[in-house]
Amino acid sequence: MLQKPKSVKLRALRSPRKFGVAGRSCQEVLRKGCLRFQLPERGSRLCLYEDGTELTEDYFPSVPDNAELVLLTLGQAWQGYVSDIRRFLSAFHEPQVGLIQAAQQLLCDEQAPQRQRLLADLLHNVSQNIAAETRAEDPPWFEGLESRFQSKSGYLRYSCESRIRSYLREVSSYPSTVGAEAQEEFLRVLGSMCQRLRSMQYNGSYFDRGAKGGSRLCTPEGWFSCQGPFDMDSCLSRHSINPYSNRESRILFSTWNLDHIIEKKRTIIPTLVEAIKEQDGREVDWEYFYGLLFTSENLKLVHIVCHKKTTHKLNCDPSRIYKPQTRLKRKQPVRKRQ
DNA sequence: ATTCTAGTATGTAGCGAACT
DNA sequence: AGTTCGCTACATACTAGAAT
């Protein structure tokens, strides 16, 4: 055993310091390390910093010189970089000024775009003020908004309402394109929808984190998740955003779309127009169309990347266009198709 | 005075016809 | 066959003027 001693860089799990330690065997390095860090030898072992592989005497000779090792005591574990990332993430639970300042400092000098981006993202993530709700609590969030908006929920509500209103506006532009008798019926349908929308406050609750569980699309903290393209069950990219967090997210959120699964202009409106023209004594089920045009029944909140603009090639359900003919003809309740 | 509405502006994607 | 162009669809933002 005239092996040359091997020197390695050793650190303990909880210590930020590293020491150079040399030894001819695993056992020797371990012993010196425990001495150095004042740790009990019993139950302790060495592993590679890189991936957490535990060192054995057999393996020791093939460990490269100056390898980075971690000294673990009884019960401790190290899974390589992964553990470091876990610890890094834990900084997000309670972002400290120290962390923010350090990141800002690094960002100032950073030239490489990729690292720049990483640091900027980190700062962006840490400089959120999700809990704040009023203008007084988080003035930067409101920068550029009219003074009438005094709470984040209030503004988000408004922005949702105005999206929904614009759908209504588009439907409203159609009666003039149909004949006189159809027009009258169309206006009646429109009136019903309008009334419902008013009573629902234009479904502004979808964006309001303060709204009741079933009527909002976000978590109580304000997190929205992309619901994925119209023809998929979920978002493969797992997009998410919290417009309540800071001004940038608020603005970015405006690029997220409410996408009609069954398309408004290509399908729903033409079907509605047709239904009114051809009603032939039947009663158009305006509530069905209301659901398609204005509610989450047919609307998906999507990141712009998941917003497909191709024709969706979906049709309205023909069995729901007219109300079941109850009063006049039926003897028994109308059954759904079997 | 504030809020709402309706019209306009902005910007990207898809698609088919016309062109090279 | 590949490219360009014009049109329509998707969407939201902006803004002047009406309504409350």
Side-chain angles (χ1 to χ4, degrees):
Chain A
M1 292 289 184
L2 287 172
Q3 258 174 331
K4 253 177 58 182
K6 189 185 295 286
S7 53
V8 297
K9 287 177 182 156
L10 187 61
R11 66 186 187 85
L13 194 61
R14 306 237 181 271
S15 160
R17 303 199 54 192
K18 273 192 276 197
F19 293 104
V21 175
R24 286 188 166 79
S25 69
C26 198
Q27 192 56 47
E28 188 183 347
V29 173
L30 182 63
R31 187 166 43 76
K32 289 183 178 174
C34 287
L35 211 60
R36 197 79 211 219
F37 289 107
Q38 299 279 293
L39 293 169
E41 216 175 311
R42 168 184 283 263
S44 293
R45 61 249 186 255
L46 298 170
C47 66
L48 295 181
Y49 169 71
E50 188 176 345
D51 61 4
T53 310
E54 209 168 308
L55 257 62
T56 59
E57 291 297 352
D58 290 347
Y59 180 50
F60 185 76
S62 56
V63 170
D65 243 356
N66 292 314
E68 302 250 355
L69 301 184
V70 179
L71 173 56
L72 299 174
T73 57
L74 190 66
Q76 290 184 328
W78 177 256
Q79 288 105 40
Y81 299 128
V82 180
S83 292
D84 253 2
I85 292 174
R86 285 227 180 82
R87 285 174 11 152
F88 171 70
L89 287 176
S90 72
F92 286 83
H93 288 302
E94 276 303 324
Q96 303 136 0
V97 266
L99 174 74
I100 296 173
Q101 282 171 353
Q104 279 169 341
Q105 191 60 49
L106 283 169
L107 182 57
C108 284
D109 304 329
E110 187 55 61
Q111 292 302 313
Q114 198 178 13
R115 290 161 56 97
Q116 227 172 50
R117 151 89 192 258
L118 222 48
L119 285 166
D121 281 357
L122 181 138
L123 280 169
H124 179 253
N125 271 297
V126 155
S127 70
Q128 345 189 66
N129 197 353
I130 294 181
E133 170 68 13
T134 64
R135 196 179 267 267
E137 287 165 345
D138 190 359
W141 193 91
F142 290 84
E143 199 186 313
L145 295 185
E146 293 169 49
S147 58
R148 67 184 160 116
F149 299 114
Q150 289 297 323
S151 74
K152 294 181 180 180
S153 299
Y155 173 74
L156 266 304
R157 263 197 103 80
Y158 161 80
S159 82
C160 185
E161 282 170 21
S162 65
R163 292 185 192 204
I164 302 285
R165 251 197 285 270
S166 76
Y167 305 151
L168 175 65
R169 196 160 51 243
E170 179 164 2
V171 185
S172 312
S173 69
Y174 273 77
S176 61
T177 67
V178 303
E181 63 279 38
Q183 188 167 351
E184 191 181 327
E185 176 64 5
F186 204 139
L187 290 172
R188 216 181 52 73
V189 167
L190 213 47
S192 303
M193 288 181 172
C194 204
Q195 204 175 345
R196 172 70 60 86
L197 278 172
R198 279 171 175 282
S199 77
M200 299 299 290
Q201 294 170 84
Y202 294 91
N203 293 330
S205 63
Y206 289 161
F207 288 0
D208 179 1
R209 65 177 172 180
K212 288 229 176 74
S215 58
R216 60 178 143 76
L217 297 175
C218 59
T219 68
E221 295 77 30
W223 286 100
F224 291 85
S225 298
C226 174
Q227 298 176 315
F230 76 92
D231 53 355
M232 302 230 274
D233 287 337
S234 61
C235 168
L236 296 178
S237 307
R238 300 196 146 266
H239 299 123
S240 68
I241 190 168
N242 188 333
Y244 290 84
S245 67
N246 57 26
R247 178 169 173 266
E248 188 168 317
S249 300
R250 187 201 93 207
I251 294 170
L252 215 51
F253 185 65
S254 66
T255 67
W256 282 52
N257 293 318
L258 283 169
D259 187 17
H260 285 89
I261 300 169
I262 298 176
E263 293 158 289
K264 165 168 55 69
K265 191 145 185 170
R266 291 199 181 99
T267 308
I268 307 173
I269 296 178
T271 305
L272 177 59
V273 170
E274 201 60 20
I276 289 171
K277 282 184 181 165
E278 309 288 324
Q279 68 187 128
D280 195 22
R282 294 167 294 185
E283 190 180 354
V284 172
D285 189 350
W286 67 269
E287 283 173 301
Y288 172 58
F289 288 97
Y290 171 89
L292 293 179
L293 288 163
F294 308 115
T295 73
S296 53
E297 182 189 316
N298 188 47
L299 286 170
K300 267 187 152 187
L301 180 69
V302 297
H303 185 283
I304 192 155
V305 166
C306 289
H307 180 214
K308 294 187 182 172
K309 299 187 175 182
T310 89
T311 65
H312 294 187
K313 291 178 181 148
L314 295 172
N315 292 314
C316 299
D317 180 349
S319 69
R320 297 190 56 188
I321 291 175
Y322 298 102
K323 283 190 180 166
Q325 305 196 325
T326 48
R327 271 156 221 122
L328 302 175
K329 295 177 187 169
R330 64 147 194 192
K331 292 173 196 145
Q332 293 174 350
V334 178
R335 273 184 240 106
K336 286 192 175 168
R337 270 188 300 152
Q338 274 133 22

